[in-house]
Amino acid sequence: RSVLSQMEPPTNPGDGPGELELTVDNVESALYQLYFDPDMERKNVAQKWLTQAQGSAQAWQFCWALLSPDKIPEVQFFGASTLHTKISHHWSDLPTDQHESLRMQLLSHILYFSSGPKMVLTRLCVALASMALNLIPQAWSQPVADMVRAFQPQRPDSEGGSAAEASQDPHAHCLALLELLTVLPEEFQSGRLAQVRRTQLREALAGEWKVVCPMLRQLLQSQDSSNQVKDKVLRCLSSWVRLDVPLGESHELVQDCFTELSNPELFDTAVETIVNAISQPDCQRYVDALVKLMPLVLGLHDQLRKAAQGGDMETSHGICRIAVAMGETHSRILLEQVDHWQEYLALVNMILYCTGIPGHYPVSETTSSLTLTFWYTLQDDILSFDEEKQAVYLQVYRPVYFQLVDVLLHKSHYPSQEEYTSWSSDDKEQFRIYRVDISDTLMYVYEMLGAELLSNLYDRLGRHLMDPQQSAIWQDTEALLFGFQSIAETIDVNYSDVIPGLIGLIPRINISNIMLADTVMYTIGSLAEWLADHPVMLGGILPMVLQGLAKAELSVSSVSTLKRICRECRHDLGPYAQDILTVSQVHISQCMWLMQALGFLLSALPVDEILGRLHSLITPHIQRLDTLAHREPDPTNKQSIIHILGMLSSLFTTLDINRQADGSEGAASPRLTASQSTQNPVVVVLQQVFTLIQTILGKWLDDSDVVEAVCGVFDKSVRTLLHDFGPMVAQLSEMLGQIYSTFPQASALDLARQMVHIFAGEEHHFSNIKSLTEMLTSATLTIFQQGNVGAIISSILKRKPDLYLSEQLDIKALFYCGILSLKFPETPTVKAASLFFTELLPRSKDVPSLGENFDCEGRMKTRWTTEEYPPAVGGGSPRSLAEHFSEVLLSLNRHCPALLSQWLKETLQTPGFPSAQVSSEQKHTFSQQLLREQSNKRRVKEIVKEFSLLCRGLQGSGYSEY
């Protein structure tokens, strides 16, 4: 082989089969180039040529030569793959009278390659399976019986033209037959078939199962069958059950599979097969079969316990999968078998054992996570019964669910600090996700157990904290609080009578351990709404949260909790405001969220106090920003500037004096008037720092990160203040225009879009917004590929189309840029351009300067909306873009139907346009269908989609289903 690997093709295979003669030697040489040439470019050329060769008519002949015994496995594999390609994609090219000869050749070669190489054998089996699917049932009525007969130990008749001497090894023949029977259903599942044909084949294959099943059972029970054969039998069964073959006909074979669970070599395959067999939804029709399988599943409990106690994770994992598959897939049907209720309860307890399996997930066990969704399913099924039945089931299963809570809390325990430190970062992340899953399960279980669950947790926590020995075990305390937090996070606990006691217990907890302290913080945060209704309890809780701010390890949890308290309880925080601000100013650099918390806090203070406290809070940072602004640009200064601007953005996200009216009892504060809004503290601060921000931009205007941070400050402010931001409109409009004209940035466009959205309709801001629009549009005419601008112009057209009456705007150029944008391959750009036209077309009569462009530019737009390349309906772009083009065509038909009819007629009459795949009749049909629809958006999308598939030559290929 080393000599052969040095051979090169006689010429460059990249010239294509049309220019390089398709001979066996040339194909083989190209294969050597593909497999053994170190030059990637030459490999790619060879691969392209070989792909073309597979599609040629000669491939039916040269594939057999490549399967010759003297060829290397890589060449033989390509020969077998070519056969499969021809049969699966070019079957109609083969004359009917050659079908039998092809079948005999394939069988003969499969027998020869039954001893290997395995990759060639499998590919030949897939080819024969594909052939069978083309012939079943009319032209090949009993494929499985014929295959079994062909693989009998006696020497088969070698008619079919193969000169290869077939293997005489019965064991190899048996394995080859099993391989063929395994890939037959797999080829059916993976094939792209019309629905009618798929149904027909599924029924035919289900009939063949009556032949396959007894044979598999005989092989699995035979003492003469090797592990290799039994493994193949299990895999074959697994393949067939995916066809929903009746469990009633195969449950005895499935029962036999349980025997192989005691064989270590077959354990994994047996598990996979059993799980696949009992996970089929159709199995529920065969209740008796399921009931017969139940004792076999329960019989695995001892093996499960031994594996768990011995640390055999693979075995316990596999048995758990079987138990969960049985219990979860058939929960309701097994619950309804009242004569067998004890067996199902035993199965539930077996799954509960799996949930609480010894060890820490994911380091010493990976099984428990498999069971969590089962508890959702069982609960849903129990609660779906009528009240009388539900009461009976709850009497049996509520105690199980209380046990489940204990198990879940135990499984959520952190290991010792020393052990946890030794875990990898990946293990820690998996454990975090696992605890989130447990939290979700506890929240869900609350629906069944109700207030009794909270009382149970509270009583346990109280007893635990009162016992010095128990309270020293911080993991137990943490787990109980974790349970409370899981429920309070999503369930309304405001009316629970145990929360006051819990709030009283929390200050007694020693939070010297960081993980316990984290959970304490999050638990307090989950009770923020309750605290808002009971503000008298804030005094005992808030000091703990403020202490947490002083510890860097608790910065995330304590800041998150403070933010929630400030948001929910802001109207009652007046007495604590100074303490919160004082502590926060010391630790403010730790987290942006802290600024958001302070924004909520300041919003609730008396208006005349806010500005003074705001200045006190941000002055040190503004002074620092001023120092940085006058330094020469460098990476360190840049990050500091972005950080401070980010803090201001976070603060202005939540600081809104109009929030004072939100949630206040009694008479709500009226919204500030326009004259008062000029005194909005955020606006005052922004006006004071505006010159400083201009200084920063003077040095950093070409840095998109800094510009984005600057725009972020104003963007968060305008989103929060809305019309109260008005006093800043003139200054900011001018600055945005200058930014975009000098260094166009997406962040400036996004901010401009917000400005237009809010202020375009206000007369006293109209001139400023108009000037900004003119500057943005003019700058964009040379860089129109910036997709965001289309969205801005669409917003302008939607809210204030007369902004485009300005004589300073070149509407024709803007229109032309919109058309060119349809040519870009990026979806956001095309979407923005399409949105631009769908907003533009309805207003063409209202804005004369827009309408004048339609007649001269419309043909161009219609052509680009239907042509093959650049991107459009005709086939040169991703099909996902066709939806956007259909909206443009619909809008054209609604508002300019006569012009669209004329343009379609002119553009579609061009030969080969928009694709050589469509005929004149098909283009005419498309045009007529399109012109008939002026309102039905869904129908227009369907028409465009079908025409797009025609242009690609994919209509009826099955590809349209994907």
Side-chain angles (χ1 to χ4, degrees):
R1 185 183 303 188
S2 59
V3 176
L4 290 172
S5 67
Q6 298 170 14
M7 291 178 58
E8 294 186 2
T11 63
N12 181 5
D15 294 335
E19 298 180 26
L20 179 62
E21 185 180 357
L22 260 176
T23 64
V24 173
D25 288 341
N26 286 343
V27 172
E28 191 171 355
S29 296
L31 284 167
Y32 286 125
Q33 181 170 311
L34 174 65
Y35 288 126
F36 306 116
D37 195 315
D39 187 330
M40 282 305 300
E41 187 174 344
R42 287 173 59 79
K43 282 179 180 286
N44 292 335
V45 167
Q47 184 174 30
K48 181 179 178 181
W49 186 85
L50 287 166
T51 301
Q52 293 174 325
Q54 281 188 318
S56 69
Q58 298 97 306
W60 287 107
Q61 284 76 45
F62 72 65
C63 59
W64 299 110
L66 297 177
L67 286 164
S68 174
D70 61 337
K71 305 299 182 185
I72 63 171
E74 290 85 353
V75 172
Q76 293 170 334
F77 177 78
F78 183 78
S81 295
T82 300
L83 260 175
H84 175 244
T85 299
K86 300 304 293 182
I87 292 170
S88 58
H89 293 96
H90 304 275
W91 179 248
S92 59
D93 297 345
L94 190 69
T96 306
D97 60 3
Q98 294 185 26
H99 290 176
E100 182 62 20
S101 171
L102 175 63
R103 184 172 73 173
M104 297 307 296
Q105 280 184 294
L106 272 169
L107 283 168
S108 177
H109 278 78
I110 289 172
L111 284 167
Y112 173 77
F113 283 102
S114 60
S115 298
K118 174 70 165 57
M119 64 178 183
V120 180
L121 171 65
T122 299
R123 211 69 200 144
L124 287 170
C125 289
V126 171
L128 183 56
S130 184
M131 181 180 182
L133 295 177
N134 282 316
L135 296 174
I136 295 172
Q138 293 87 352
W140 197 355
S141 58
Q142 296 179 315
V144 172
D146 291 344
M147 291 174 185
V148 172
R149 194 176 304 111
F151 283 84
Q152 293 301 314
Q154 69 268 21
R155 179 183 178 85
D157 183 9
S158 60
E159 67 174 281
S162 173
E165 183 179 343
S167 165
Q168 292 298 302
D169 182 358
H171 182 259
H173 283 197
C174 181
L175 290 173
L177 174 60
L178 289 169
E179 178 72 12
L180 179 55
L181 294 177
T182 301
V183 300
L184 182 58
E186 292 173 351
E187 184 70 2
F188 166 77
Q189 298 282 18
S190 62
R192 285 175 174 161
L193 301 165
Q195 191 58 47
V196 174
R197 177 63 177 157
R198 181 171 290 278
T199 302
Q200 183 188 39
L201 277 175
R202 184 183 291 277
E203 291 175 357
L205 289 173
E208 294 295 301
W209 177 240
K210 294 176 181 177
V211 180
V212 176
C213 185
M215 186 189 75
L216 295 182
R217 193 164 188 224
Q218 181 183 353
L219 287 171
L220 201 58
Q221 291 179 334
S222 172
Q223 294 181 347
D224 296 331
S225 294
S226 66
N227 281 344
Q228 196 177 5
V229 168
K230 289 184 176 182
D231 183 81
K232 266 294 174 193
V233 168
L234 292 168
R235 293 179 189 277
C236 187
L237 170 58
S238 190
S239 177
W240 278 85
V241 296
R242 291 190 176 94
L243 294 177
D244 293 331
V245 294
L247 182 64
E249 296 177 11
S250 54
H251 72 275
E252 292 177 333
L253 175 57
V254 177
Q255 289 175 23
D256 293 340
C257 296
F258 279 84
T259 307
E260 305 310 323
L261 291 170
S262 59
N263 186 335
E265 289 186 34
L266 298 176
F267 179 82
D268 290 341
T269 311
V271 167
E272 198 67 37
T273 301
I274 294 169
V275 168
N276 286 336
I278 61 181
S279 295
Q280 302 304 315
D282 189 60
C283 292
Q284 296 185 3
R285 294 197 292 124
Y286 306 97
V287 177
D288 290 344
L290 287 172
V291 169
K292 289 177 182 177
L293 289 173
M294 184 72 83
L296 294 173
V297 178
L298 295 176
L300 299 173
H301 205 155
D302 287 342
Q303 189 179 354
L304 171 66
R305 286 183 182 278
K306 289 177 183 177
Q309 292 166 1
D312 184 352
M313 292 171 62
E314 289 76 15
T315 299
S316 57
H317 192 89
I319 294 174
C320 176
R321 287 185 62 202
I322 293 172
V324 170
M326 177 65 86
E328 187 172 344
T329 309
H330 310 295
S331 172
R332 186 177 181 89
I333 201 76
L334 291 172
L335 280 169
E336 291 175 335
Q337 307 311 305
V338 291
D339 294 338
H340 300 276
W341 70 272
Q342 289 177 311
E343 286 185 352
Y344 189 59
L345 179 59
L347 179 65
V348 171
N349 280 309
M350 182 177 175
I351 295 173
L352 181 63
Y353 178 81
C354 293
T355 305
I357 203 161
H360 272 112
Y361 183 93
V363 175
S364 52
E365 68 91 2
T366 57
T367 299
S368 57
S369 62
L370 301 176
T371 67
L372 297 182
T373 55
F374 164 76
W375 300 108
Y376 288 75
T377 303
L378 178 59
Q379 178 175 316
D380 286 344
D381 287 336
I382 290 173
L383 297 182
S384 69
F385 288 114
D386 60 59
E387 288 188 17
E388 186 177 347
K389 277 189 177 181
Q390 194 180 121
V392 175
Y393 286 117
L394 287 175
Q395 189 175 0
V396 174
Y397 287 102
R398 267 176 64 89
V400 177
Y401 270 81
F402 274 111
Q403 290 179 57
L404 172 65
V405 171
D406 292 344
V407 167
L408 291 175
L409 293 179
H410 181 73
K411 293 298 292 183
S412 70
H413 275 201
Y414 280 96
S416 68
Q417 191 69 53
E418 182 181 1
E419 183 182 347
Y420 188 68
T421 304
S422 70
W423 284 13
S424 69
S425 58
D426 185 54
D427 286 338
K428 290 178 180 178
E429 176 61 13
Q430 286 191 56
F431 182 60
R432 183 194 69 78
I433 295 170
Y434 176 66
R435 278 173 52 100
V436 170
D437 292 339
I438 288 178
S439 176
D440 291 342
T441 309
L442 289 170
M443 177 270 294
Y444 206 76
V445 166
Y446 180 84
E447 184 181 354
M448 177 181 278
L449 303 182
E452 189 179 346
L453 173 57
L454 287 178
S455 299
N456 182 293
L457 292 175
Y458 173 68
D459 291 342
R460 289 177 59 186
L461 181 62
R463 291 195 301 271
H464 180 79
L465 292 177
M466 295 305 167
D467 185 330
Q469 286 186 327
Q470 287 189 29
S471 59
I473 306 174
W474 66 268
Q475 288 96 333
D476 290 342
T477 309
E478 193 278 335
L480 289 166
L481 285 173
F482 174 72
F484 267 113
Q485 177 212 337
S486 300
I487 296 165
E489 201 67 67
T490 49
I491 304 296
D492 183 4
V493 296
N494 281 6
Y495 302 102
S496 170
D497 56 2
V498 305
I499 301 302
L502 174 63
I503 293 290
L505 285 176
I506 286 177
R508 301 174 62 95
I509 298 173
N510 180 353
I511 58 172
S512 56
N513 180 276
I514 294 302
M515 286 173 280
L516 172 58
D518 252 338
T519 303
V520 168
M521 291 299 163
Y522 286 125
T523 304
I524 295 171
S526 70
L527 298 172
E529 290 186 29
W530 186 91
L531 289 168
D533 291 336
H534 306 82
V536 70
M537 306 297 285
L538 280 168
I541 288 294
L542 205 51
M544 289 187 74
V545 178
L546 297 180
Q547 288 172 21
L549 289 175
K551 297 182 179 180
E553 304 94 328
L554 298 178
S555 60
V556 174
S557 58
S558 58
V559 169
S560 171
T561 298
L562 182 62
K563 177 184 172 182
R564 295 178 72 169
I565 290 175
C566 287
R567 183 181 64 214
E568 303 297 337
C569 311
R570 57 183 179 274
H571 302 295
D572 301 295
L573 290 178
Y576 313 102
Q578 188 56 52
D579 289 343
I580 294 172
L581 286 167
T582 300
V583 173
S584 298
Q585 282 177 285
V586 176
H587 307 289
I588 202 163
S589 61
Q590 292 180 14
C591 191
M592 296 290 180
W593 282 359
L594 190 51
M595 275 297 196
Q596 292 185 19
L598 299 181
F600 286 122
L601 176 66
L602 292 173
S603 298
L605 295 178
V607 176
D608 55 356
E609 287 185 26
I610 294 177
L611 188 59
R613 291 191 182 275
L614 181 59
H615 274 139
S616 174
L617 177 65
I618 67 173
T619 295
H621 305 290
I622 298 299
Q623 291 173 344
R624 171 67 176 158
L625 190 63
D626 185 53
T627 302
L628 293 168
H630 290 88
R631 290 181 180 173
E632 289 304 311
D634 68 47
T636 304
N637 292 341
K638 172 183 171 178
Q639 292 307 315
S640 299
I641 289 171
I642 290 174
H643 179 74
I644 294 172
L645 291 173
M647 289 170 56
L648 293 177
S649 297
S650 296
L651 178 62
F652 296 157
T653 299
T654 56
L655 205 171
D656 180 12
I657 58 177
N658 290 307
R659 290 182 187 274
Q660 291 186 347
D662 297 346
S664 299
E665 297 183 5
S669 304
R671 183 175 175 84
L672 296 181
T673 63
S675 60
Q676 289 174 311
S677 70
T678 58
Q679 300 302 312
N680 188 295
V682 173
V683 173
V684 172
V685 169
L686 288 175
Q687 289 174 330
Q688 290 172 348
V689 301
F690 198 81
T691 303
L692 173 57
I693 287 176
Q694 287 179 312
T695 303
I696 292 171
L697 288 174
K699 291 189 176 182
W700 294 92
L701 190 56
D702 59 344
D703 190 299
S704 60
D705 295 330
V706 175
V707 173
E708 183 177 352
V710 168
C711 290
V713 174
F714 292 103
D715 183 72
K716 296 295 189 294
S717 303
V718 73
R719 288 173 185 267
T720 303
L721 302 184
L722 301 176
H723 295 279
D724 288 354
F725 189 80
M728 292 296 303
V729 170
Q731 288 174 284
L732 186 56
S733 295
E734 183 180 356
M735 186 182 83
L736 276 177
Q738 292 171 350
I739 291 175
Y740 193 74
S741 299
T742 310
F743 285 99
Q745 311 249 2
S747 55
L749 283 175
D750 291 336
L751 177 54
R753 188 179 181 185
Q754 285 299 320
M755 298 276 286
V756 169
H757 181 83
I758 296 170
F759 297 108
E762 296 190 7
E763 288 302 319
H764 54 291
H765 294 305
F766 181 80
S767 61
N768 293 315
I769 298 299
K770 180 179 178 182
S771 298
L772 174 60
T773 303
E774 291 172 357
M775 294 182 72
L776 291 177
T777 307
S778 298
T780 301
L781 290 177
T782 55
I783 50 147
F784 61 89
Q785 61 266 42
Q786 294 281 347
N788 286 344
V789 77
I792 291 180
I793 295 170
S794 304
S795 297
I796 294 170
L797 288 165
K798 186 178 291 186
R799 291 173 178 80
K800 201 70 176 172
D802 47 342
L803 282 171
Y804 281 100
L805 293 173
S806 171
E807 296 179 357
Q808 279 73 39
L809 290 177
D810 186 346
I811 297 298
K812 182 175 180 179
L814 183 64
F815 192 93
Y816 182 73
C817 287
I819 294 175
L820 289 180
S821 295
L822 291 173
K823 298 175 63 175
F824 279 78
E826 296 84 6
T827 298
T829 304
V830 174
K831 183 178 179 181
S834 300
L835 182 62
F836 166 64
F837 282 117
T838 56
E839 291 294 339
L840 179 77
L841 291 167
R843 292 167 175 80
S844 58
K845 296 176 182 177
D846 302 329
V847 185
S849 55
L850 295 176
E852 292 170 2
N853 290 281
F854 282 174
D855 223 1
C856 58
E857 307 290 346
R859 292 179 183 80
M860 191 191 316
K861 177 150 65 71
T862 306
R863 184 179 181 88
W864 278 340
T865 311
T866 54
E867 69 178 346
E868 179 180 20
Y869 184 84
V873 173
S877 67
R879 287 192 299 148
S880 59
L881 297 183
E883 179 177 332
H884 303 304
F885 297 130
S886 68
E887 292 178 1
V888 177
L889 290 169
L890 176 61
S891 190
L892 275 168
N893 201 22
R894 279 178 179 171
H895 304 288
C896 319
L899 289 174
L900 178 61
S901 176
Q902 178 186 340
W903 297 336
L904 283 172
K905 184 177 180 180
E906 292 176 4
T907 55
L908 292 178
Q909 70 182 3
T910 307
F913 176 86
S915 164
Q917 302 274 3
V918 288
S919 65
S920 299
E921 292 77 12
Q922 289 170 325
K923 288 191 280 187
H924 177 74
T925 301
F926 166 68
S927 179
Q928 293 305 305
Q929 288 178 330
L930 185 64
L931 291 170
R932 277 198 295 268
E933 297 294 339
Q934 292 191 334
S935 59
N936 192 331
K937 182 184 292 188
R938 181 185 60 80
R939 177 59 185 144
V940 171
K941 287 180 180 178
E942 289 175 356
I943 293 168
V944 171
K945 176 184 175 182
E946 290 303 312
F947 187 65
S948 177
L949 290 170
L950 283 172
C951 292
R952 291 168 164 82
L954 295 173
Q955 184 66 16
S957 65
Y959 183 63
S960 57
E961 299 173 13
Y962 293 83

